[in-house]
Amino acid sequence: CATTCTSAACMSNYGVLRAYHDACEGASGVEAIHDYEESCAAAECNTVNATFDPNTCDEEHAHEEAHLECACAAVANGWKIDCASTTTILTAFATMITNNCMASSVCSSSLSCVANWQIVAAHHDHCAAGDLPEIVVNGFHDFEVACGESCEVGRQYNPSLTTCPTPTCNTTAPLTSAISSLQSDG
């Protein structure tokens, strides 16, 4: 599946992995998504519905889930999640480079790094890779190591995709099984 993700089993297991990655914060193993995103691009699925608005801040939900919604970070800091706003994305990314945010001690302690990481991460996690500047797609994971998790946002809805399976976040057996199957090419 890591090189060719065309079998029904690979596509189905990728859908499970995508669902857990997008919906279950902190689930063990979800970082494996990055090993399959390119080969399984045709197996992408929606984890949000057509009415999802990435700029609607639900602070009550954010407090219940103990994580920061990207929409709330955007509202608080005066920016919007907009996949067509490459200037905003590139400016934030360039600022991170200029401020040496790739160093973990800098990224976690610099307000500029944290704020710009939220912009970059929100757009990376929400927008389709084809909508993002190539430098951001290629350099994102280098910053992810230093900056860690950022805010949470659903992936952009795509009407041409099917709906991902609904994960049960407190049960990781389906995720573990899907990853194991992906690793064994099925």
Side-chain angles (χ1 to χ4, degrees), residues 10-18 33 36-37 40 43-44 182:
C10 286
M11 293 174 80
S12 174
N13 286 311
Y14 180 79
V16 170
L17 178 56
R18 168 58 70 199
I33 193 84
Y36 301 98
E37 283 176 313
C40 293
E44 282 293 352
L182 285 164

Side-chain angles (χ1 to χ4, degrees), residues 1-5 35-36 38-40 185:
C1 300
T3 55
T4 305
C5 188
D35 297 332
Y36 301 98
E38 189 174 321
S39 63
C40 293
D185 278 342

Side-chain angles (χ1 to χ4, degrees), residues 16 20 24 26-30 167-179:
V16 170
Y20 273 87
C24 304
S28 179
V30 294
T168 304
C169 296
N170 61 358
T171 304
T172 59
L175 172 62
T176 304
S177 177
I179 293 169

